[in-house]
Amino acid sequence: MTFSKLYVVGDRLGWSIDDDRARLTATARRLGYDVGSNRLLRFVRHQSVFQHNHFNALQPKWLDS
């Protein structure tokens, strides 16, 4: 099992959480981390996900993953 990519999830509402997501993504890339595309997130397994919105993180799709 390898955790080769980081997935950074915002809330897609265009407010501060999405700004935080963009900044964390840019920082991770500058530090050399491979940041995956969120369009593929539902298909990936055994990867690291940073969920900015703790309310979304408590939804069943995340708790069951």
Side-chain angles (χ1 to χ4, degrees):
M1 179 175 350
T2 66
F3 295 90
S4 59
K5 291 188 188 292
L6 171 65
Y7 291 85
V8 184
V9 180
D11 61 5
R12 294 187 287 166
L13 296 175
W15 292 80
S16 63
I17 290 176
D18 288 325
D19 186 50
D20 292 343
R21 181 202 57 78
R23 290 173 189 268
L24 179 58
T25 297
T27 299
R29 286 186 174 139
R30 266 195 317 275
L31 292 172
Y33 290 95
D34 190 8
V35 180
S37 169
N38 287 349
R39 288 178 287 174
L40 303 174
L41 189 56
R42 65 182 150 169
F43 303 111
V44 301
R45 299 290 180 262
H46 308 294
Q47 299 298 318
S48 298
V49 177
F50 188 92
Q51 174 64 268
H52 276 86
N53 185 334
H54 66 280
F55 295 113
N56 284 347
L58 295 173
Q59 297 299 314
K61 73 176 184 178
W62 293 107
L63 291 174
D64 296 339
S65 66

